[in-house]
Amino acid sequence: SALNMIKYNPIFGVVLGNYAEQYQNKYILPEAKEREQKHSHNVYLQFQAETGLPGLLLLCALFGYILFWSWQRRENIFARIIFFSTLALMLYGMTDYTISGYRAMRVYWLLFALCLVGIRSWKHE
């Protein structure tokens, strides 16, 4: 269903936060086992379905930059925590939707913020 949303709305998507309604009213497949599904079980497919290709590229650029930035500072334990937690979040995103309001995302951003404070205050001896 997400692939059909992407196919018919490749540039602008079906509007952020509109996946469930579009899925249940227009794009549900006849063989779908989850008739009341609220989200795709893939963050990348859902984000592209809702925001189009530009939104997906921005999402990947954001997390790609975080990976790049933290890897450049990998001698710092807090930067490594950011790197591996971001990588874990991105891999987890292949099997679930974590972007809006889910605990995994809230925990990630809290950990990210704490690690940024740690990076700024950490003195390697």
Side-chain angles (χ1 to χ4, degrees), residues 81-99:
I81 292 170
I82 289 174
F83 179 83
F84 287 111
S85 62
T86 302
L87 189 60
L89 184 73
M90 293 179 77
L91 291 172
Y92 178 59
M94 293 178 170
T95 61
D96 204 358
Y97 183 70
T98 57
I99 294 296

Side-chain angles (χ1 to χ4, degrees), residues 36 45 76 101 119:
E36 300 297 319
L45 289 178
N76 184 302
I119 288 171

Side-chain angles (χ1 to χ4, degrees), residues 59-107:
L59 177 75
C60 291
L62 170 67
F63 288 110
Y65 178 76
I66 291 171
L67 286 172
F68 174 78
W69 181 88
S70 58
W71 183 253
Q72 297 252 308
R73 292 156 180 79
R74 66 187 173 273
E75 73 284 345
N76 184 302
I77 186 68
F78 297 107
R80 279 184 272 175
I81 292 170
I82 289 174
F83 179 83
F84 287 111
S85 62
T86 302
L87 189 60
L89 184 73
M90 293 179 77
L91 291 172
Y92 178 59
M94 293 178 170
T95 61
D96 204 358
Y97 183 70
T98 57
I99 294 296
S100 63
Y102 289 90
R103 287 185 198 126
M105 201 56 144
R106 284 184 246 159
V107 169

Side-chain angles (χ1 to χ4, degrees), residues 36-55:
E36 300 297 319
Q37 187 180 44
K38 301 273 190 261
H39 59 82
S40 170
H41 289 286
N42 183 303
V43 71
Y44 307 105
L45 289 178
Q46 180 160 343
F47 213 75
Q48 185 173 0
E50 289 186 335
T51 64
L53 187 57

